[in-house]
Amino acid sequence: MADLKKPRVRAEELRRLIRHHDYLYYVLARPEISDATYDRLFNELKRLEQQHQYLIPDSATLLVSGGVAGVAEGFAPVEHSSPMLSLDNASTEEDIREFEARMNRILPGATFRYVGEPKIDGVGVALVYENGKFVRGATRGDGRVGEDITHNLRTIRSLPQTLHGPLARYEHLEVRGEVFMWEAAFQKLNRDLEEVGEGAFANPRNAVAGSLRQKDSTITAKRPLDIVLYQLAADPRSTPFATHWEILEAFGKSGLPVSPEARLCGDLDAAIAYHRVMEDRRNEIGYETDGVVLKANNLDQRVALGFTTHHPRWAIAFKFKSQQAQTRVRRIVINVGRTGALTPSGDVDPVEIAGATISRTTLHNADEIARLDVRVGDLVVIERAGDVIPHVVERVPEPEHDSRPPFQMPTHCPVCGGHAYRPEGEVVWRCSNAACPAQVKERLLHFGARRAMDIEHLGEAVVNQLVDRNLVKDFADLYHLDVETLASLERLAKKSATNLYKAIQGSKNRGLARFLFALGIRFVGEHAASLFAQHYGSMEKLWAATEEELAAIYGIGPRIAAAAAEFFAQKENQRVIARLLDVGVTMTEETVKAREKLLAGKTLVLTGTLEGFSRDEARAAVTRLGGRVTSSVSKKTDYVIAGKDPGSKYDDARRLGVPVLDEAAFKELVSER
Ligand SMILES: [Zn+2]
């Protein structure tokens, strides 16, 4: 009968789709659909199976949402001691009350306490400790077999190599948790990748997955990964613990990081309140989370409740309201950046997401548009997470899509009409005209930025007018502006014009390192700029260096050397630099006794116990190098030095994206070479 056959066909189709997307997500780390869409498919299958019991396969093939062929090439398979299950999920309070009612049908009259933990959007891992030593770590894989990523996990600073405290004495211990990236650290990573011309990651989860799947763990080591643990993979009857909360406490005492947001909730109402509080705070927590996980606290109850083929009966993911919405793309706009990069973004029908009206979304680059196959007129799902610019998650399939013309990058710059091209090996298209007004504007803004020449009041409105009215064509022109000219700009009163004039003139003595960074040479970030400045000490000497000599400097790669050499070889750049010298811009840097000044102007924060230094010794070492030690971590902190058992300052550093050095790195920094 058709009615009987239809659900069976649909269930098969859904399982196939889910297996396919599981494979893309867990094994290749390259999801093609959003989590929300995946949940829709999964929930549809679950509903079908609930309505038609005969559809549930009698084998355990459905264990952990369908067995995917687990391990990608190049990583050794690791069989988990017990399956890493997924979680059932709920999106409303009714769902949650039904979750407790289901437990009560198995355990009539029981009362439940819950542990609430944020559901972090990262990559699930299983770690094995033997006699307190970290010996093996694996991805979740298909839930039964994952990939051995021990070497990459060892690079995560917050993951203890050795346990102390109550869990250290176990001969064999498997713990599970989530590797994730703080939002600020993720943003900084993407900026760094873009600076060296590499593709940015779409979201923190992809960045984590990509980092953990590196063959070369020195790359992983440079990625700002963090971890929290939330599960002990053992039959509770074989452990001394009576509750999940006790396990989390034992984790903490043993050195395994647990979420500081975890809470013990006395009953279901308290758990629901926890969910509400976390949802209100979701954009302040500092990492991506789409809900909370609620787990029955009592381990005896857990044993009695057991598992379905998909998930434990005693835990549930209570999702937050979606930060996604559907809208239509009305226009694809191209912006031109400082290095001439043509960046597409989409104008969309205004739509409200989590309290904000969204009318523009980033589209990253031409490859991303091609991957999503977004065309003007298409219906898309957009997502807004934290303070990040909203992005397109996926296109909603429509029959009309095929009749819409595919997007093509323009052959000419939309601002100056210059020829647009795509350099070999890059994802980005560029305007070839160096005098392109859009590029000049972006370059001037970069030149005056806080970390560059730090010219206060040189904002976008001012720069636009200076370029549009032909008052400034290059950096040197800035220093020839007088107060009268500046006061003639719109919305710039005499007093503001005077302040801007003083700020420009006052920026002449920033030194060679910041000047080099301000020039906006491709691939030359703050670090490379300061290496050049330290090595040569003056523009004159730097200028005379060959590409080979530049590349020979420790820390300077061939691509940076080539870009710098090319920059200095261009007549136009030589002319501008000569004019800047004429107006008195400092192009030297104190390199004599450079070691002593290594930390000049830098602010450091110490946390935890250093083995080789007392606090006073560490402080003295920093001061000797020109640095300053302060007590609290802020965005202005340059480094946090973390010894053993670092405190909340360590967490602050991770949250704010401040680089953290361990004792070995600190020692190297302050010692004589
Ligand atoms: Zn242009």
Side-chain angles (χ1 to χ4, degrees):
M1 282 160 53
D3 274 343
L4 276 177
K5 196 181 164 198
K6 216 176 150 199
R8 189 189 302 275
V9 170
R10 180 62 184 158
E12 268 314 308
E13 188 176 33
L14 286 167
R15 279 191 203 109
R16 210 170 47 240
L17 277 170
I18 288 168
R19 270 198 294 275
H20 170 68
H21 290 297
D22 276 349
Y23 182 74
L24 292 174
Y25 187 95
Y26 291 117
V27 180
L28 300 182
R30 232 177 26 229
E32 283 175 358
I33 58 172
S34 67
D35 290 356
T37 306
Y38 180 90
D39 288 347
R40 273 200 294 278
L41 294 175
F42 198 86
N43 289 335
E44 188 188 342
L45 177 63
K46 213 166 65 176
R47 214 167 40 243
L48 270 177
E49 289 180 352
Q50 274 160 6
Q51 287 161 0
H52 310 277
Q53 291 289 322
Y54 62 89
L55 287 177
I56 301 175
D58 50 9
S59 71
T61 50
L62 263 187
L63 191 69
V64 201
S65 65
V68 281
V71 178
E73 235 174 288
F75 294 90
V78 172
E79 196 165 337
H80 301 305
S81 60
S82 59
M84 290 177 79
L85 296 172
S86 21
L87 288 175
D88 197 6
N89 63 65
S91 43
T92 65
E93 197 179 314
E94 289 69 49
D95 293 345
I96 284 298
R97 299 207 179 275
E98 173 54 27
F99 159 68
E100 189 176 79
R102 277 199 302 274
M103 294 198 295
N104 269 132
R105 284 198 283 277
I106 298 172
L107 297 175
T111 56
F112 298 97
R113 299 179 88 189
Y114 297 90
V115 173
E117 295 160 63
K119 185 173 177 296
I120 302 178
D121 200 9
V123 171
V125 293
L127 314 174
V128 174
Y129 284 85
E130 282 173 2
N131 300 311
K133 297 269 183 252
F134 174 57
V135 294
R136 195 171 59 251
T139 59
R140 177 181 179 278
D142 66 359
R144 275 169 298 176
V145 178
E147 297 170 341
D148 189 330
I149 51 164
T150 310
H151 284 85
N152 289 338
L153 288 169
R154 282 196 198 281
T155 68
I156 301 178
R157 285 174 199 277
S158 49
L159 187 155
Q161 303 297 315
T162 308
L163 298 181
H164 43 94
L167 297 178
R169 62 196 159 82
Y170 282 81
E171 205 173 300
H172 182 96
L173 187 79
E174 184 177 331
V175 294
R176 291 170 183 176
E178 198 90 359
V179 179
F180 70 101
M181 217 176 260
W182 293 90
E183 188 66 44
F186 165 72
Q187 300 293 346
K188 183 173 183 305
L189 171 66
N190 265 356
R191 278 198 303 274
D192 291 349
L193 288 174
E194 275 165 3
E195 197 166 80
V196 298
E198 282 179 35
F201 288 104
N203 57 52
R205 209 204 77 84
N206 284 10
V208 172
S211 304
L212 287 179
R213 303 189 79 261
Q214 290 290 335
K215 300 264 164 63
D216 177 359
S217 40
T218 60
I219 297 174
T220 314
K222 289 182 194 138
R223 301 283 169 80
L225 298 175
D226 209 336
I227 189 170
V228 291
L229 285 314
Y230 47 63
Q231 195 193 342
L232 181 62
D235 186 329
R237 287 165 293 197
S238 69
T239 73
F241 305 110
T243 66
H244 181 61
W245 192 249
E246 286 174 24
I247 293 176
L248 292 185
E249 283 178 336
F251 279 7
K253 284 179 194 153
S254 304
L256 293 166
V258 292
S259 171
E261 319 286 347
R263 293 288 180 275
L264 183 59
C265 308
D267 58 19
L268 193 65
D269 286 333
I272 291 168
Y274 170 74
H275 171 268
R276 197 159 44 235
V277 170
M278 290 298 285
E279 179 157 26
D280 285 345
R281 291 184 52 219
R282 73 184 288 188
N283 291 331
E284 311 159 9
I285 297 174
Y287 49 80
E288 285 199 354
T289 158
D290 63 351
V292 298
V293 177
L294 301 179
K295 297 170 182 169
N297 188 37
N298 184 308
L299 300 184
D300 286 339
Q301 289 177 343
R302 287 195 189 181
V303 172
L305 289 163
F307 302 87
T308 71
T309 50
H310 294 128
H311 51 254
R313 289 200 182 86
W314 40 263
I316 196 158
F318 190 1
K319 297 276 182 101
F320 296 147
K321 276 192 265 325
S322 175
Q323 305 214 91
Q324 297 187 346
Q326 288 192 354
T327 183
R328 224 168 258 290
V329 176
R330 288 305 174 195
R331 216 156 68 97
I332 295 179
V333 188
I334 306 289
N335 302 300
V336 188
R338 156 169 74 86
T339 57
L342 305 184
T343 314
S345 62
D347 282 351
V348 296
D349 285 344
V351 60
E352 186 156 319
I353 306 179
T357 305
I358 308 298
S359 56
R360 174 162 284 198
T361 157
T362 174
L363 286 165
H364 298 291
N365 55 52
D367 283 4
E368 177 71 359
I369 297 178
R371 187 182 72 77
L372 296 162
D373 193 12
V374 172
R375 305 177 183 184
V376 171
D378 279 350
L379 191 60
V380 292
V381 175
I382 62 172
E383 181 177 66
R384 165 180 181 256
D387 300 329
V388 192
I389 307 164
H391 65 279
V392 175
V393 177
E394 66 191 329
R395 176 171 60 79
V396 180
E398 288 178 305
E400 296 84 356
H401 169 78
D402 290 334
S403 63
R404 297 174 182 136
F407 172 77
Q408 277 182 318
M409 281 302 280
T411 54
H412 291 86
C413 170
V415 175
C416 72
H419 174 64
Y421 70 108
R422 181 179 188 160
E424 222 180 289
E426 289 189 23
V427 292
V428 172
W429 285 73
R430 292 180 192 283
C431 164
S432 58
N433 172 17
C436 171
Q439 292 182 49
V440 173
K441 287 175 186 173
E442 290 294 326
R443 279 202 296 268
L444 286 170
L445 284 172
H446 173 77
F447 187 80
R450 196 176 63 82
R451 296 181 303 157
M453 297 301 261
D454 195 9
I455 305 175
E456 232 189 314
H457 317 295
L458 188 66
E460 211 169 315
V462 170
V463 165
N464 284 346
Q465 293 186 65
L466 291 174
V467 175
D468 292 342
R469 292 174 51 182
N470 248 341
L471 294 168
V472 173
K473 290 195 248 348
D474 58 46
F475 304 138
D477 290 342
L478 273 181
Y479 293 94
H480 290 285
L481 292 167
D482 52 31
V483 177
E484 280 66 41
T485 311
L486 290 171
S488 75
L489 298 180
E490 268 171 51
R491 286 190 302 244
L492 209 64
K494 181 91 180 187
K495 185 160 181 290
S496 313
T498 308
N499 287 338
L500 176 55
Y501 175 81
K502 283 183 186 158
I504 293 172
Q505 298 302 322
S507 72
K508 288 177 180 172
N509 298 313
R510 304 285 184 231
L512 182 59
R514 287 175 65 167
F515 176 69
L516 286 173
F517 174 61
L519 286 177
I521 305 166
R522 274 188 76 199
F523 307 135
V524 178
E526 278 177 291
H527 182 62
S530 84
L531 288 177
F532 283 142
Q534 285 297 324
H535 195 89
Y536 291 104
S538 74
M539 181 59 91
E540 211 182 338
K541 287 184 186 153
L542 172 60
W543 209 320
T546 65
E547 185 180 330
E548 289 70 32
E549 285 164 348
L550 296 177
I553 300 172
Y554 182 74
I556 298 291
R559 187 156 57 168
I560 296 175
E566 190 198 323
F567 183 90
F568 292 120
Q570 282 179 28
K571 286 268 175 323
E572 176 60 19
N573 294 331
Q574 294 176 359
R575 194 183 62 82
V576 173
I577 291 171
R579 287 180 59 219
L580 284 163
L581 263 174
D582 282 348
V583 297
V585 172
T586 311
M587 295 188 202
T588 54
E589 191 91 3
E590 187 77 41
T591 55
V592 200
K593 296 180 185 170
R595 289 293 302 167
E596 275 94 306
K597 296 202 157 193
L598 197 61
L599 295 176
K602 304 270 191 224
T603 305
L604 287 81
V605 172
L606 304 168
T607 178
T609 316
L610 297 172
E611 280 165 355
F613 302 83
S614 72
R615 272 293 160 107
D616 286 342
E617 285 166 352
R619 195 183 298 271
V622 171
T623 316
R624 205 165 51 236
L625 294 174
R628 202 158 64 93
V629 174
T630 60
S631 56
S632 66
V633 182
S634 75
K635 280 185 182 162
K636 288 184 180 151
T637 308
D638 292 288
Y639 296 106
V640 167
I641 312 303
K644 245 178 106 175
D645 298 322
S648 62
K649 290 171 193 171
Y650 177 81
D651 299 328
D652 292 342
R654 300 301 288 214
R655 185 165 51 77
L656 295 169
V658 175
V660 178
L661 303 181
D662 62 9
E663 178 161 357
F666 177 64
K667 213 166 141 185
E668 194 182 319
L669 188 69
V670 300
S671 69
E672 308 292 332
R673 280 231 173 94

